Amino acid sequence: MSRCAWPLLRRLPARAGLALRHGGGAAARARPAASSASSSSSSSSASAGDGGASRAPDTSLFVPVPLKPGLGGAAEEDVGAELTRPLDKGEVLKNLNKFYKRKEIQRLGAENGLDARLFHQAFISFRKYIMESSSVSADLHIILNDICCGFVLLGHVDDLFPFFLRHAKQIFPMLDCMDDLRKISDLRLPPNWYPDARAIQRKIIFHAGPTNSGKTYHAIQRFLSAKSGIYCGPLKLLAHEIFQKSNDANVPCDLVTGEERVFANEDSRHAPHVACTIEMCSTNTPYEVAVIDEIQMIRDPARGWAWTRALLGLCAEEIHVCGEPAAIDLVTELMYTTGEEVEVRNYERLTPLTVLDYALESLDNLRPGDCIVCFSKNDIYSVSRQIEARGLECAVIYGSLPPGTKLEQAKKFNDPDDPCKILVATDAIGMGLNLCIRRIIFNSIVKPTVNEKGEKEIDSITTSQALQIAGRAGRFGSSFKQGEVTTMHRDDLAQLKEILSEAVPPVQAAGLHPTPEQIEMFAYHLPDATLSNLIDIFVSLSQVDGMYFVCNIDDFKFLADMIQHIPLNLRSRYVFCTAPLNRKEPFVCTTLLKFARQFSRNEPLTFDWLCRHTKWPLAAPKNIKELVHLEAVHDVFDLYLWLSYRFMDMFPDAVLVRDIQKKLDDIIQIGVCNITKLIRASQSAAAPGTAEAVSEDFPLSRTQRDARVVSDRHGAASTEALSIAVEAAGLRRTKNLRPSRLGGRQEDLKSYGRGSLANRLLREGLLTQEMLRQLESEWQDQHRNGRYGFGSKRDDQHSSKASGKKRK
């Protein structure tokens, strides 16, 4: 480099505190500049809390921000060229690779928050930026030239580190603000989030007892006698029940759910009492009494945060908490951190509950007041059809039915003058409905679940679930003075007794969820990150103590990824991502996407638009698929109403939508009342080659069995026995395989036809490949020995008749 060029260096802008140095030891000289960033990183760990060092972030979540090469201005290019000469890109590449391999550089990177993954990504980006740029900043140009020309006294590859670190912080902006990010995501003191509640001394009363013990009744009596109060329940049905009960008792009470606001006063003035779903409770409004129902749901992986928020944040003089005794210890510990004591009131069940010593075994043994509990809609369809094939009427209740339809079905079952005396339901009856049930019959004691990784698996129901469902039998005040519990299959009865006899494990932790304000602060520091990525980084950096956990955010991330390409501001995007929908329903998800797209264009979503999208008006369903679609449309209307209370201007026709939703509810009720006709229509419409057309709606294996039950009364018992035997074998083996989680089930599915009985059992998790091979082996052995199993007598009769005809 020409010595006369030195005066021109004054024209260079200051660059990251870099000064051209004479002599060697560049790495040692670069270290002080780097250590300053390192010290800020270490202070971040120390300042994250009083409890010691914070955990290292999951750097796999750090998505690099792309930088376009060649951003340097023409003036800088002229200065670099004037001071040195054009760069030899081949020599530059060689020295950059040498820089990357230097152990000292890797150590410096680690001290500045660049682990091996980030260091590699940052270097790839840094190298690409330099190699593809037509010009780089003048100071970097000079350093690269000195290194490439071998000016040992003026340049060393280690001198690239400040430029590399600057580039790394540009593509990973979180490195520069890790201290702030850790503070924002520190979740170790949730009580401090609610200063209004901490400003008063609250009285906490825990009403503990099993189902049907009167615990909620006593809390509600105090709610009704107070000057003001709020009831927080897990379901719209429960909130609606308290709303009705309060107003019937001449205690004006408003109803607030995600989709609905109903005022007790005609002039829309707020009543002193309110019944709401727990997510909708206000932590700013003062009340005399608050009731938090089903407190054990504070451990729920998805919704537990709502119970934590209500328990810590409600501004009420008295907080009445109702739920299982298993939650007493956790609630007491949480209240200890707020300086509030807990008074525990224990309740015993008001009517006896007996576990029978015999299973039902056959639907012929059903009696009035029986409720068969299934854990899937598929089994609901199958069992209800078998019951009606026996000349009996049954009511049907499952989770995806609209609340109005559930209430109508419950009313039909409870009505002593209605011929419907049997109920077929999922575990949706566990809370929210008052039912006159004499006997609970578990069709199965295994339930499909989704684990932490989002994988489907089956497992025995928990003691808490079993007690919640079984406790619905023999409700106090009903026509049945005691309740009974049993199973459909004899082999399940012993395990049900074992489950019911076990103590409910204590609730260990309360759920938390990042608030919109926290996410907004994260976005301020990381403006280029997607919402899904922001949530991931937040959870990665978050710190909670042993009494809390961060709730599952998979549904939130699913919606965030789905609408990421739509231009929305952060607050609106966050609201759309918290919409309550089932991501397994494609029609509802597609509708949310269309809502968001039209919202982003600032085009109101009108009643006419919604009618065109849903093809309203809709006719009564003719088969199961149409019924399922109607349920999805009802969910779309719910989604519209939910958004209408967040964006009133953009979703202006809530009143009209609520009107057609009530009409749709009536249409769905017609379909549910005729559910067996719909199943038969679905079967007759499905040719053997098109079995998959209905396979997602109900299991073909059970449907085929049902068809045989209807068409051949004489062979019904033997045919049903075969299907039950296969299913029971699957369930028994499932119980034995419970620790293994049936990990290979997904791979097993690939080798089977989608419409077969074997496939349905595999898909439902009731069979594995090993079970299938064992059943096949047993069947072949029986065939060789002349024993054909259940139903062989009828088959032999048919074959003998056929052979007789041939002889004639």
Side-chain angles (χ1 to χ4, degrees), residues 51-95:
S54 56
R55 65 178 180 179
D58 181 0
T59 56
S60 65
L61 302 173
F62 293 1
V63 178
V65 177
L67 289 183
K68 294 182 180 179
L71 297 180
E76 287 199 358
E77 181 179 3
D78 292 340
V79 172
E82 182 180 353
L83 292 175
T84 59
R85 62 178 182 177
L87 294 174
D88 182 344
K89 291 297 179 77
E91 285 296 319
V92 169
L93 179 61
K94 188 186 303 181
N95 283 283

Side-chain angles (χ1 to χ4, degrees), residues 135-203:
S135 64
V136 294
S137 60
D139 47 359
L140 176 57
H141 187 111
I142 292 171
I143 290 295
L144 287 171
N145 182 75
D146 288 348
I147 295 171
C148 292
C149 292
F151 295 149
V152 178
L153 295 178
L154 296 178
H156 188 277
V157 289
D158 291 354
D159 284 332
L160 290 173
F161 184 78
F163 299 97
F164 167 73
L165 184 61
R166 183 177 67 195
H167 183 90
K169 289 182 177 181
Q170 285 179 305
I171 66 169
F172 295 116
M174 60 284 296
L175 295 175
D176 241 355
C177 54
M178 194 62 68
D179 185 30
D180 291 331
L181 296 180
R182 288 189 188 279
K183 288 177 180 177
I184 296 168
S185 59
D186 191 343
L187 306 179
R188 285 177 293 182
L189 294 173
N192 294 350
W193 303 348
Y194 309 102
D196 293 342
R198 301 290 76 78
I200 61 175
Q201 187 65 29
R202 307 180 305 170
K203 182 180 180 181

